Amino acid sequence: MIGPPGSGKSMLASCVPGILPPLTLREAIETTKIHSIAGILERSRPLLEHRPFRAPHHSTTLAGLIGGGRPLRPGELSLAHNGVLYLDELGEFNKKVTDALREPLDSGRVVLNRHLQTVVYPCRVFLIASMNPCACGFFGSADRECRCTEREIRSYRSVLSGPFLDRMDMTINVLPEPSERLARVAVEGAAEDSATVRSRVCRARDIQLERFKKSGSTTVVNSQMNPAEIHRYCIMTPEAERLLIEGGRRLQLTGRGMTRCLKVARTIADMDGKSKIEVRHIAEALQFRQI
């Protein structure tokens, strides 16, 4: 999420755990083990019941995020396993730290090697990141003047390497809500609460669980599909296929970017209750690939 200060990025991120499906018993045991190893499991709660939400500060070290130390301990990435890892103020993170996320995000595990010791921790996470468009936060704003030079803007965004962005399935611009609408929401309440959204998410998740259960696959969600499963389950209409090819060419998407875009479109189609991926599903997924 990219947007000026006060646009609600942190609030949106903190609400995500509330719309995710509850932990399964297997997920709860996996996550509890990691927290137990890290020594942060509460005695009064021997089994975690809710998906973790981890939000490390932008000054966190490589070992703090990925894991390490003596003895080897899981980092924030593994502590967020089966939950949400939120990187606020992404532009302030060290580039080496963010780039170290690339391989674990692909494989779903962290491999830590030290002298005569190798430890593997799982890290299947819902990664959310947010940042301002520039250091002062007001580049492109219609209401506030940006004080940053072009060089400062480039430097601030340098943490967003091409390979890192390629692994972000969705990028959105978050704009501040008008004061009139905020006042109306305060009086009338939100148009849709988290419970309503969560019910839709759970329905889509159930579709995916049933899909992969029938094939005997260990895959749980669309983002984990391998090439064979993509070929089997991501069936597009001819018009949708043409749009994906043209959109990928115009946006200069890599092979990874095209594959991730197709997985997002499959999920949008699941939310829409459609067995085939249609033009509107591809169109929406492509919009999320625009930086």
Side-chain angles (χ1 to χ4, degrees):
M1 295 182 287
I2 302 175
S7 54
K9 303 185 294 296
S10 299
M11 183 189 68
L12 285 171
S14 66
C15 291
V16 168
I19 66 172
L20 295 178
L23 283 170
T24 64
L25 180 59
R26 180 184 61 81
E27 290 175 333
I29 293 173
E30 283 181 354
T31 310
T32 299
K33 285 180 179 179
I34 298 172
H35 284 236
S36 178
I37 292 170
I40 61 174
L41 189 65
E42 299 177 18
R43 290 182 178 273
S44 60
R45 298 174 58 196
L47 183 68
L48 294 180
E49 300 175 352
H50 304 288
R51 295 188 181 275
F53 180 86
R54 307 293 299 186
H57 190 261
H58 59 74
S59 63
T60 190
T61 62
L62 182 61
L65 185 63
I66 303 299
R70 293 185 180 181
L72 290 173
R73 293 164 57 89
E76 293 289 341
L77 180 59
S78 293
L79 292 174
H81 180 57
N82 290 323
V84 175
L85 176 66
Y86 177 44
L87 304 182
D88 193 13
E89 303 294 349
L90 182 64
E92 302 293 340
F93 276 79
N94 186 297
K95 188 173 183 295
K96 290 183 179 180
V97 173
T98 56
D99 279 347
L101 290 169
R102 286 153 46 182
E103 185 178 344
L105 288 177
D106 284 338
S107 64
R109 62 179 194 161
V110 173
V111 181
L112 302 176
N113 292 302
R114 294 295 183 270
H115 182 59
L116 300 179
Q117 185 181 18
T118 299
V119 177
V120 180
Y121 292 122
C123 61
R124 293 280 182 193
V125 301
F126 189 143
L127 174 65
I128 305 176
S130 64
M131 65 182 295
N132 298 330
C134 63
C136 77
F138 299 105
F139 176 74
S141 172
D143 303 320
R144 301 283 295 274
E145 183 180 356
C146 175
R147 302 188 303 271
C148 302
T149 65
E150 185 177 344
R151 181 178 180 181
E152 288 172 336
I153 294 173
R154 286 201 305 267
S155 176
Y156 182 77
R157 296 183 179 183
S158 63
V159 69
L160 301 176
S161 67
F164 179 78
L165 282 175
D166 205 28
R167 289 165 170 82
M168 302 299 284
D169 293 329
M170 302 167 64
T171 301
I172 60 173
N173 292 316
V174 183
L175 301 176
E177 288 287 348
S179 56
E180 297 83 4
R181 182 171 180 179
L182 291 175
R184 189 163 59 250
V185 170
V187 174
E188 301 174 1
E192 203 171 40
D193 58 20
S194 292
T196 304
V197 179
R198 189 187 200 189
S199 65
R200 290 204 305 273
V201 174
C202 287
R203 283 198 298 271
R205 179 65 64 88
D206 289 340
I207 290 172
Q208 296 170 44
L209 288 172
E210 185 65 23
R211 172 185 298 139
F212 300 120
K213 183 179 179 180
K214 286 181 178 179
S215 64
S217 172
T218 58
T219 301
V220 177
V221 292
N222 290 336
S223 63
Q224 300 172 4
M225 284 192 292
N226 58 40
E229 290 169 332
I230 293 173
H231 179 73
R232 181 176 181 179
Y233 298 119
C234 294
I235 307 299
M236 295 178 281
T237 63
E239 297 82 3
E241 185 174 359
R242 286 195 294 269
L243 179 60
L244 178 63
I245 294 172
E246 178 63 16
R249 183 185 65 80
R250 291 194 179 189
L251 295 174
Q252 298 181 331
L253 298 182
T254 64
R256 178 187 289 109
M258 291 280 284
T259 299
R260 285 178 172 268
C261 185
L262 189 54
K263 291 178 180 180
V264 170
R266 176 66 272 171
T267 301
I268 296 171
D270 289 341
M271 297 286 287
D272 201 20
K274 300 294 183 180
S275 58
K276 276 191 175 184
I277 299 174
E278 301 176 1
V279 169
R280 64 179 182 273
H281 307 140
I282 292 292
E284 185 175 346
L286 284 170
Q287 289 181 39
F288 292 131
R289 301 297 302 189
Q290 299 183 74
I291 308 300

